[in-house]
Amino acid sequence: MNKIKRELKDFLEFKTNYKFIQKELTQKDGCIYCNNEILQDSER
């Protein structure tokens, strides 16, 4: 039981410290890029 409580405590601590970072999307010439990597091409 102590192991489960410790794992839950560790998970909740991780969850509160986790930060999601939204990456910047850019659109050029009908194509969508994320960090200079093509995500969507206008011809496809």
Side-chain angles (χ1 to χ4, degrees):
M1 193 64 153
N2 286 336
K3 183 179 179 185
I4 294 172
K5 287 181 183 180
R6 188 177 73 241
E7 287 181 11
L8 179 61
K9 181 179 174 258
D10 290 345
F11 171 74
L12 292 174
E13 192 173 307
F14 167 78
K15 186 179 166 189
T16 56
N17 292 331
Y18 181 79
K19 297 200 182 353
F20 178 76
I21 299 170
Q22 178 68 40
K23 298 195 179 198
E24 186 72 28
L25 295 179
T26 54
Q27 189 169 2
K28 285 190 275 184
D29 304 324
C31 301
I32 299 174
Y33 297 90
C34 179
N35 291 346
N36 295 326
E37 224 176 283
I38 191 162
L39 295 179
Q40 183 178 10
D41 191 344
S42 63
E43 297 175 4
R44 292 185 199 170

